[in-house]
Amino acid sequence: MSSRTIEQIVNAIREDRQLGASELAAACMTGLVEYASAWQGSDADRFRSDVFTLAGKMQSARPSMEAVGNLVGRWCRELDDLKGADLGTNVNAAISRAQALRQQSLAAVQKTVEYMVDRIEPGEVLLTHSISSTIKEILRGVRGRHIRAVITESRPGNEGKLLARFLSDLAIATQYITDAQAGIWMPTVSKVLVGADSVLADGAVVNKAGTSLIAMAAGHFRVPVYVCCETLKHSTKSAAEVVLEEMDSAELDLPSIPHVEARNFYFDITPAKYITAWVSELGVFTRWE
Amino acid sequence: MSSRTIEQIVNAIREDRQLGASELAAACMTGLVEYASAWQGSDADRFRSDVFTLAGKMQSARPSMEAVGNLVGRWCRELDDLKGADLGTNVNAAISRAQALRQQSLAAVQKTVEYMVDRIEPGEVLLTHSISSTIKEILRGVRGRHIRAVITESRPGNEGKLLARFLSDLAIATQYITDAQAGIWMPTVSKVLVGADSVLADGAVVNKAGTSLIAMAAGHFRVPVYVCCETLKHSTKSAAEVVLEEMDSAELDLPSIPHVEARNFYFDITPAKYITAWVSELGVFTRWE
């Protein structure tokens, strides 16, 4: 099997609609390992130029996903030190550091999961939106505690269907609702749990479109909202600096008619005031009021 | 063509997914005219018994739609007076009063539309949810004022597609979004306009699921929310007394899997605090603070 080109690896990252930001960041590390392992040539500077090109394209492929930019950025900084070293040293470092960063990232997610699992009591009713690999692991961690789940369809990708299947396999009693029903179900819910694509400088959260609506409804009904993600997703950006990705409007399946444009922003920003707690590998944080 | 039975008329009301509450209330009057006109028999008491049976079944067919219960209830009260009158008098009254109530109801909607149209300035950006015959007439009334519209898909029935077609025909520039994107678009909006299935005793509004989420997001961004409906939809009920209709879960198109139930409540309740103004045939009302 021939190895993938830079464009092929980057396109797979750009076009992915299944992986969460943590998984996609890990996939970038795997892509760097794959590319570095298969690289053909004898010039260290050329190798460095090629892998940095790949890294840069990965970072710009998914601008809403802070974890991708951050993890790839860490890898770049670690490789910066090796300028002037020989090809073998560079290739080995490119591979081993990508593998190590991938491991650290996965361990941070696992620790985040553990902190949240510890906070969930038997019999709770948990509402989540879209699909997050971190939230999936939390739900796996609490199965057997007579937990119930309320999950959203999550248009237009309908990730809720994948999550429904996952919860079915865990035998967790689940109510599957349209995104628009979140307000109706909120009074039955004990905690809202969401992952994040990024957490901004002031604690605001970039996550799947609809998260802000759910968090506001939770606030109205005094249901606590927990945002669960490793610090790799923490950003120094403000809401004004965030680029919200717009995807193919064909996903909304609206026939082409004059004067009407289908629009498909994937992410929204939930202001920090609607979030009760931020959970990461460092612990559980809230406002000190 | 044979005339429809009570069950056929009531089933058409129960199963309708296209008409708003005002239109459905008017359709009930049309149904009463149809049934009374075609009634075969010679006994006035039997006629009264049959039409009251039809009226009662209409009222219970759509419990979330206050307008149906109210308009049919008015018709029943007007017919109550004729107990003891002959068959011809009863039949004529059943028909003429249904026709008159239908006209009054349509005139009230038209007046409501005029009050709202007067409040919309050139260049405004109006967001609405689901499809409301009243809101459609308001949008028709402001075309040519360089109005733009933001409309929601409105799962699971996707009434947004019908509204998109309507706005396209009016040449109103329209952004069509998933329900979950309402928070993203709210900062671009000047007014939220929604119809209602009913307005409760305290001003809370029963309307298509998702209305409460949109109203909360509007509140966050200080966008005013106008609820436009004739007083026929006003109710003396509290939120606790309202029966929210649940429809066929097959509309969510989730494969049958163990432990997971698809749920399909059509309506939610928006608390009065998230509503800026109530518009009816009596004028425009707000809180006096």
Side-chain angles (χ1 to χ4, degrees):
Chain A
M1 196 180 79
S2 66
S3 57
R4 294 186 296 168
T5 64
I6 287 179
E7 284 310 317
Q8 287 170 329
I9 294 172
V10 172
N11 282 342
I13 300 289
R14 183 182 294 113
E15 287 160 19
D16 174 82
R17 294 290 173 276
Q18 300 307 320
L19 300 181
S22 307
E23 294 169 309
L24 213 52
C28 286
M29 293 301 106
T30 306
L32 287 165
V33 169
E34 172 192 335
Y35 184 78
S37 303
W39 191 82
Q40 303 282 335
S42 56
D43 182 57
D45 286 344
R46 180 66 195 275
F47 172 77
R48 289 174 60 83
S49 167
D50 283 353
V51 293
F52 280 125
T53 297
L54 171 57
K57 285 175 186 275
M58 283 172 165
Q59 287 179 306
S60 55
R62 300 302 292 270
S64 301
M65 289 185 170
E66 199 66 24
V68 170
N70 281 345
L71 196 63
V72 175
R74 287 183 198 179
W75 180 89
C76 290
R77 283 193 297 280
E78 295 193 9
L79 236 67
D80 270 346
D81 305 340
L82 293 179
K83 188 164 166 58
D86 66 21
L87 177 62
T89 304
N90 268 286
V91 171
N92 287 340
I95 293 169
S96 65
R97 291 178 187 190
Q99 288 169 331
L101 285 168
R102 184 172 183 280
Q103 283 309 316
Q104 285 168 30
S105 167
L106 296 175
V109 172
Q110 191 49 43
K111 191 74 196 163
T112 303
V113 167
E114 287 165 19
Y115 276 118
M116 189 70 236
V117 164
D118 284 348
R119 297 229 149 202
I120 297 171
E121 303 292 330
E124 287 210 43
V125 179
L126 308 173
L127 183 147
T128 192
H129 179 55
S130 188
I131 195 166
S132 147
S133 56
T134 307
I135 301 300
K136 281 168 70 179
E137 291 312 308
I138 291 165
L139 290 164
R140 190 198 302 280
V142 297
R143 82 183 141 166
R145 294 190 197 175
H146 303 291
I147 297 298
R148 284 172 292 152
V150 178
I151 67 172
T152 55
E153 188 172 45
S154 303
R155 288 277 300 153
N158 301 330
E159 298 93 350
K161 287 190 180 172
L162 296 176
L163 186 59
R165 172 66 66 187
F166 177 84
L167 289 165
S168 178
D169 291 345
L170 292 179
I172 291 179
T174 299
Q175 308 291 312
Y176 173 90
I177 63 173
T178 52
D179 302 331
Q181 288 178 79
I184 301 171
W185 289 85
M186 196 58 74
T188 72
V189 168
S190 62
K191 288 189 176 82
V192 171
L193 305 186
V194 290
D197 292 277
S198 62
V199 175
L200 303 182
D202 70 348
V205 170
V206 178
N207 195 45
K208 182 69 186 282
T211 302
S212 68
L213 302 176
I214 287 169
M216 288 175 192
H220 176 75
F221 290 108
R222 302 187 187 287
V223 174
V225 177
Y226 290 77
V227 174
C228 306
C229 72
E230 70 279 25
T231 56
L232 188 64
K233 291 178 172 174
H234 289 196
S235 168
T236 56
K237 289 179 186 159
S238 69
E241 294 171 285
V242 169
V243 177
L244 292 178
E245 291 180 52
E246 188 164 9
M247 305 299 189
D248 186 358
S249 65
E251 293 179 2
L252 272 73
D253 197 27
L254 182 74
S256 175
I257 50 179
H259 310 292
V260 180
E261 271 187 293
R263 302 298 296 268
N264 190 17
F265 284 99
Y266 257 35
F267 301 101
D268 70 12
I269 299 179
T270 302
K273 67 189 261 197
Y274 298 106
I275 295 161
T276 312
W278 292 259
V279 184
S280 73
E281 76 275 18
L282 302 181
V284 180
F285 295 83
T286 191
R287 266 172 231 89
W288 188 0
E289 286 173 321
Chain B
M1 195 180 79
S2 65
S3 56
R4 293 186 296 170
T5 64
I6 287 178
E7 284 310 318
Q8 287 170 327
I9 294 172
V10 171
N11 281 342
I13 301 289
R14 184 182 294 112
E15 288 161 17
D16 173 81
R17 295 292 173 273
Q18 300 306 321
L19 301 180
S22 308
E23 294 170 308
L24 214 52
C28 286
M29 293 301 105
T30 306
L32 286 165
V33 169
E34 172 191 335
Y35 185 78
S37 304
W39 192 81
Q40 302 283 334
S42 56
D43 181 57
D45 285 345
R46 180 67 196 275
F47 172 77
R48 289 174 60 84
S49 167
D50 283 354
V51 292
F52 280 124
T53 297
L54 171 56
K57 285 176 186 275
M58 283 173 164
Q59 287 179 304
S60 55
R62 299 302 293 270
S64 299
M65 290 186 168
E66 200 65 27
V68 170
N70 281 346
L71 195 63
V72 174
R74 287 183 198 180
W75 180 89
C76 290
R77 283 194 296 282
E78 296 193 8
L79 235 64
D80 269 346
D81 304 341
L82 294 178
K83 188 165 164 59
D86 65 20
L87 177 63
T89 304
N90 268 286
V91 171
N92 287 339
I95 292 170
S96 64
R97 291 177 188 190
Q99 288 169 331
L101 285 168
R102 184 172 183 281
Q103 283 309 316
Q104 286 168 29
S105 167
L106 297 175
V109 172
Q110 190 49 42
K111 191 73 197 165
T112 304
V113 167
E114 288 166 18
Y115 277 117
M116 190 70 235
V117 165
D118 285 348
R119 298 228 148 202
I120 297 172
E121 303 291 330
E124 287 210 44
V125 180
L126 308 174
L127 183 146
T128 191
H129 179 55
S130 188
I131 194 166
S132 148
S133 55
T134 308
I135 302 300
K136 281 168 71 179
E137 292 312 308
I138 292 165
L139 291 164
R140 190 198 302 280
V142 298
R143 82 183 142 166
R145 295 189 197 174
H146 303 292
I147 297 298
R148 285 172 291 152
V150 179
I151 66 172
T152 54
E153 187 173 46
S154 303
R155 288 278 298 154
N158 301 331
E159 298 93 349
K161 286 189 180 172
L162 295 176
L163 186 58
R165 172 65 64 184
F166 177 83
L167 289 165
S168 177
D169 291 344
L170 293 179
I172 291 178
T174 298
Q175 308 291 312
Y176 174 90
I177 63 173
T178 53
D179 301 331
Q181 287 178 78
I184 301 171
W185 288 85
M186 197 58 75
T188 73
V189 168
S190 62
K191 288 188 176 80
V192 171
L193 305 186
V194 289
D197 292 276
S198 62
V199 175
L200 303 182
D202 71 346
V205 169
V206 179
N207 195 46
K208 182 70 188 281
T211 302
S212 68
L213 302 175
I214 288 170
M216 289 174 190
H220 176 76
F221 289 107
R222 302 188 188 286
V223 175
V225 176
Y226 290 76
V227 174
C228 306
C229 71
E230 71 279 23
T231 56
L232 188 64
K233 290 177 172 173
H234 289 197
S235 168
T236 56
K237 289 179 186 159
S238 70
E241 294 170 286
V242 169
V243 178
L244 293 178
E245 292 179 52
E246 187 164 10
M247 305 299 189
D248 186 359
S249 64
E251 293 180 2
L252 273 73
D253 198 27
L254 181 75
S256 175
I257 51 179
H259 309 293
V260 181
E261 269 187 293
R263 302 298 295 269
N264 189 18
F265 284 99
Y266 257 36
F267 302 102
D268 70 11
I269 299 179
T270 302
K273 68 189 259 199
Y274 298 106
I275 295 162
T276 311
W278 293 259
V279 184
S280 73
E281 74 277 16
L282 302 181
V284 180
F285 297 82
T286 191
R287 266 175 231 85
W288 188 0
E289 285 172 324

